[in-house]
Amino acid sequence: MNERKDNLEKLENSLEVMKQQGHSSEVTNLVEKAQLQQPAPCSPVIFDCCTITLAPESILEFPFGLINIGADFFFLDCCITEVSSDALTPCGIIPDACTVNEVRATGHINYVASFTIPTFYNNGAGDCNEVVEQTFSCSGTTCVNNVICYAPVTEDNPCPDFCNGNTQAFAYIQDIDYCSGQKAIVTVGIVFVLPECI
């Protein structure tokens, strides 16, 4: 039983470290890069989150860094609307244009995020102390209604292909709310980066 208490204490310490570090540096760099490529008022980055409840007494460690994600971009559409450029700072250089095409991604993205960690969910093996890998996951749907660029009205179809590896998806542990010795609520951050216009 002392081994379990020691493991729980280590988990509490790793949780504090994780909270101090905040977002994964990989995710932060990714978001900054995407926002630089398509400056305001365009919004190529979409955020969401889902939660998983874990029993820390049966867990050996929490995942760090990026975790696995599966995403379905099939339901994303591209919508083009002609708008006045007077009140806009276009996301591309459109000199002296009175009207521009606003290119918007609309629809939704279905996703599942999962990670595998060492646990004591061992069905009693090894005197209940055998370590086994278990996978935990959460899923969700993210609604999308984002301007991805402005394009000249005369330009051919500027809509990007959201499939074929053009839209990126990432997941990471955003936060852990350690409620008690029996429960920890893990918030998984989800990040989607939409492709640039053609």
Side-chain angles (χ1 to χ4, degrees):
M1 200 62 177
N2 286 337
E3 182 184 350
R4 292 285 182 107
K5 286 183 178 176
D6 290 345
N7 285 330
L8 192 53
E9 189 176 327
K10 287 177 187 174
L11 274 179
E12 289 172 338
N13 293 335
S14 72
L15 169 59
E16 286 307 311
V17 170
M18 187 177 289
K19 284 188 172 181
Q20 289 171 7
Q21 288 178 345
H23 293 182
S24 163
S25 60
E26 295 168 275
V27 173
T28 303
N29 292 339
L30 169 80
V31 169
E32 287 174 355
K33 183 179 176 184
Q35 288 171 336
L36 283 173
Q37 287 174 344
Q38 298 181 46
C42 297
S43 50
V45 182
I46 301 163
F47 298 96
D48 200 354
C49 66
C50 56
T51 59
I52 302 169
T53 302
L54 299 179
E57 292 174 316
S58 298
I59 303 297
L60 280 165
E61 66 183 43
F62 290 115
F64 282 85
L66 297 179
I67 63 177
N68 292 328
I69 187 167
D72 182 1
F73 304 116
F74 178 79
F75 301 99
L76 284 182
D77 290 316
C78 183
C79 182
I80 300 174
T81 308
E82 193 172 300
V83 295
S84 170
S85 64
D86 295 342
L88 296 174
T89 305
C91 300
I93 299 170
I94 307 172
D96 305 322
C98 293
T99 58
V100 294
N101 279 331
E102 179 183 80
V103 183
R104 186 178 288 271
T106 62
H108 65 274
I109 303 168
N110 297 322
Y111 65 85
V112 59
S114 62
F115 55 87
T116 302
I117 53 176
T119 74
F120 290 115
Y121 291 120
N122 52 30
N123 296 322
D127 224 9
C128 289
N129 288 315
E130 186 173 307
V131 176
V132 294
E133 297 283 324
Q134 292 288 352
T135 301
F136 301 88
S137 65
C138 61
S139 60
T141 298
T142 303
C143 291
V144 179
N145 186 16
N146 292 51
V147 175
I148 50 178
C149 74
Y150 292 91
V153 174
T154 56
E155 191 173 292
D156 290 337
N157 184 5
C159 286
D161 179 1
F162 296 115
C163 300
N164 298 311
N166 294 317
T167 308
Q168 300 175 65
F170 302 89
Y172 62 100
I173 301 301
Q174 186 175 9
D175 191 23
I176 303 173
D177 182 15
Y178 187 76
C179 303
S180 66
Q182 286 77 40
K183 188 178 289 186
I185 310 299
V186 180
T187 302
V188 178
I190 311 293
V191 182
F192 302 106
V193 181
L194 299 172
E196 296 180 40
C197 293
I198 297 172

